[in-house]
């Protein structure tokens, strides 16, 4: 049996021939076995592969949850220390509900965005390295075509980055305003009920709720473009 040259080890054509040869040898070995026994062996291999893949996915999900929990705690701790280190004049111009929303909601949203980035960087970075080795070993023209597509995708993604960041910031700001209004109104609910000021207060809340809906819709218009890209 000839040994493939080092440059052909990752050639997809050579790999395909090896797989076809392995399948052929498996069929020859299975000629002496009964149909049920052969199916049992193949089923056992399939179950083992599925179990192994599920175990890896589960461990990956658990590690991702751990990173997200630690990141949320870290952001909230740093933000709380920063806020408590500010002067009193800063709090005179800030709503307590807005600060609560920044510490609770925005910190969680930030961590939920950071953890997938780290996971995607490691996961997809590894796949890119492996597939690049196969690609360069198989066809130079195919490599040029794939690189061109990657550069085009990168350009489109970069062009969407600024609008998405702007709309995410506006959506978080509107959500913080709504959270602040709700916190203040619920804290003063006795005074509101005593002076019968429900209509104007509900009008303010309704306007804030509509602002959050519009900001979320505008964010969705741009963010949904990432999926086909």
């Amino acid at each position: 049996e000839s040994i493939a040259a080092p440059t052909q080890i990752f050639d997809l054509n050579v790999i395909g021939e090896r797989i076809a040869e392995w399948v052929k040898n498996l069929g020859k070995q299975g000629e002496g076995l009964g149909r049920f026994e052969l199916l049992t062996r193949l089923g056992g291999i399939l179950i083992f592969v599925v179990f192994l893949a599920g175990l890896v996915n589960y461990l990956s999900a658990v590690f991702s949850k751990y990173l997200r929990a630690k990141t949320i705690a870290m952001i909230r701790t740093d933000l709380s220390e920063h806020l408590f280190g500010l002067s009193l004049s800063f709090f005179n111009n800030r709503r307590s509900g807005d600060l609560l929303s920044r510490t609770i909601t925005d910190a969680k949203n930030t961590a939920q965005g950071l953890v997938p980035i780290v996971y995607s960087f490691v996961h997809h970075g590894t796949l890119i390295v492996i597939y690049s080795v196969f690609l360069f070993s198989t066809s130079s023209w195919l490599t040029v075509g794939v690189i061109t597509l990657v550069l085009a995708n990168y350009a489109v993604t970069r062009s969407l980055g600024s609008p998405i960041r702007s709309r995410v910031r506006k959506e978080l700001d509107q959500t913080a305003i709504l959270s602040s209004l709700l916190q203040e109104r619920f804290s003063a609910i006795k005074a509101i009920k005593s002076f019968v000021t429900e209509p104007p207060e509900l009008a303010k809340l309704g306007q804030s709720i509509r602002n959050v809906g519009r900001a979320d819709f505008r964010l969705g218009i741009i963010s949904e473009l990432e999926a086909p890209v």
Side-chain angles (χ1 to χ4, degrees):
E1 183 180 1
S2 61
I3 301 176
T7 57
Q8 296 179 345
I9 294 178
F10 299 104
D11 192 328
L12 293 180
N13 297 318
V14 175
I15 294 175
E17 294 176 357
R18 298 292 184 183
I19 293 176
E21 184 178 352
W22 178 79
V23 172
K24 185 184 297 184
N25 292 333
L26 182 63
K28 292 180 180 179
Q29 294 176 3
E31 291 178 356
L33 300 175
R35 180 177 300 179
F36 178 77
E37 186 175 356
L38 180 61
L39 290 177
T40 302
R41 292 189 178 185
L42 292 177
I45 295 174
L46 178 61
I47 293 174
F48 174 76
V49 172
V50 171
F51 173 78
L52 186 62
L55 179 62
V56 172
N57 289 333
Y58 174 75
L59 295 177
S60 175
V62 170
F63 184 66
S64 177
K65 297 294 184 182
Y66 172 78
L67 284 180
R68 186 174 67 176
K70 296 293 290 185
T71 304
I72 292 175
M74 187 187 308
I75 294 176
R76 286 174 177 170
T77 300
D78 292 344
L79 183 57
S80 298
E81 292 177 353
H82 174 72
L83 290 175
F84 275 87
L86 297 175
S87 62
L88 184 60
S89 59
F90 172 81
F91 296 94
N92 292 332
N93 300 322
R94 295 286 181 174
R95 294 176 171 177
S96 58
D98 180 65
L99 297 178
L100 287 173
S101 178
R102 301 298 183 182
T103 307
I104 302 299
T105 305
D106 291 4
K108 183 177 181 179
N109 292 337
T110 302
Q112 288 177 340
L114 288 176
V115 173
I117 290 176
V118 177
Y119 173 79
S120 298
F121 177 78
V122 176
H123 177 73
H124 294 107
T126 304
L127 292 179
I128 288 174
V129 172
I130 295 174
Y131 290 155
S132 297
V133 173
F134 288 127
L135 193 62
F136 281 105
S137 301
T138 303
S139 173
S140 58
W141 286 107
L142 185 60
T143 302
V144 173
V146 171
I147 292 177
T148 303
L149 292 176
V150 169
L151 293 177
N153 181 274
Y154 176 77
V156 175
T157 303
R158 289 286 296 179
S159 65
L160 293 176
S162 179
I164 290 177
R165 284 194 298 270
S166 175
R167 282 165 173 77
V168 168
R169 189 179 300 111
K170 292 180 180 178
E171 195 268 341
L172 293 176
D173 289 342
Q174 293 300 327
T175 302
I177 292 174
L178 176 59
S179 176
S180 176
L181 287 175
L182 289 172
Q183 192 268 340
E184 292 174 356
R185 270 44 181 187
F186 286 140
S187 299
I189 191 64
K190 293 182 179 179
I192 293 175
K193 301 295 289 185
S194 299
F195 293 98
V196 195
T197 58
E198 292 95 332
E201 297 299 338
L202 288 174
K204 293 179 181 179
L205 288 175
Q207 182 62 42
S208 180
I209 291 172
R210 288 190 292 271
N211 291 338
V212 173
R214 282 194 292 267
D216 185 64
F217 175 71
R218 291 172 181 172
L219 172 62
I221 294 176
I222 299 298
S223 61
E224 286 300 323
L225 292 176
E226 288 184 308
V229 172

